[in-house]
Amino acid sequence: MSVELLVDGFDRVRQVVRHAVHGLTEEQLAWRPEGTGNSVGWLVWHLTRVQDDHVAGVANLEQVWTAQDWVARFDLPFPPSDIGFGHSSSDVSSARFPSPALLTDYHDAVHARTTDYLRSLTEDELPEVVDENWDPPVTRAVRLVSVLSDDLQHAGQAAFVRGLLPAG
């Protein structure tokens, strides 16, 4: 039951991501509220990178980003391990995304990896500790819910920024 709830949650992130970027131009994907806010493109890239990084970590798998060579397809000015955490305003500005398809194709690949992994889990594996660097130690379930929560917040932000796009 818990696994299917997680799958449903990540499916919802995917729906919001697809809506947030659908039909946008490169300029619209890069537009930043007040010139300094996060763009739709950056938000979707970042939430997908976090999901890819964290799910690969608990699954003990290589990230889709490198395993399927998305790093080369995106050709961003960041190291391959970068997930956007701590990016400055100039970092966000330097991240350009030529099309919604690039973002949704990468997100779809990460989503497929995520749901395949989730469906491979048993309920007994969810309470296993996956990170002892925190007090209390982080379980698999807590890590996955944390990723889901972060993704939903950023997907909502991307949808909000899309609504702020200047008419034109």
Side-chain angles (χ1 to χ4, degrees):
M1 177 67 159
S2 300
V3 167
E4 285 308 312
L5 287 172
L6 288 167
V7 169
D8 181 71
F10 283 103
D11 284 346
R12 291 168 190 246
V13 171
R14 183 173 176 253
Q15 291 169 4
V16 177
V17 161
R18 294 181 82 67
H19 173 75
V21 302
H22 179 75
L24 297 183
T25 65
E26 181 176 354
E27 293 74 27
Q28 290 170 318
L29 288 169
W31 182 82
R32 301 174 66 195
E34 301 293 320
T36 58
N38 293 327
S39 67
V40 171
W42 186 89
L43 285 161
V44 168
W45 170 80
H46 169 63
L47 76 86
T48 306
R49 287 293 297 124
V50 168
Q51 182 178 332
D52 191 5
D53 176 74
H54 287 36
V55 171
V58 296
N60 293 313
L61 297 168
E62 183 180 356
Q63 293 178 29
V64 171
W65 184 246
T66 53
Q68 297 179 13
D69 206 24
W70 288 99
V71 66
R73 292 183 230 185
F74 275 79
D75 192 30
L76 295 172
F78 313 127
S81 61
D82 198 327
I83 63 172
F85 182 76
H87 271 192
S88 67
S89 183
S90 65
D91 291 332
V92 174
S93 288
S94 70
R96 298 293 293 204
F97 308 97
S99 71
L102 182 65
L103 290 161
T104 57
D105 289 351
Y106 173 51
H107 188 81
D108 287 350
V110 170
H111 178 74
R113 161 70 72 75
T114 300
T115 56
D116 287 349
Y117 171 67
L118 290 173
R119 289 191 171 116
S120 77
L121 293 175
T122 65
E123 295 289 324
D124 292 340
E125 291 172 294
L126 292 172
E128 290 177 0
V129 171
V130 295
D131 188 348
E132 294 191 14
N133 294 317
W134 299 91
D135 185 20
V138 177
T139 65
R140 186 179 324 275
V142 167
R143 178 62 45 85
L144 292 167
V145 168
S146 174
V147 172
L148 178 58
S149 173
D150 188 67
D151 279 2
L152 285 168
Q153 290 180 58
H154 287 316
Q157 291 165 358
F160 179 75
V161 172
R162 179 192 176 106
L164 297 176
L165 285 169

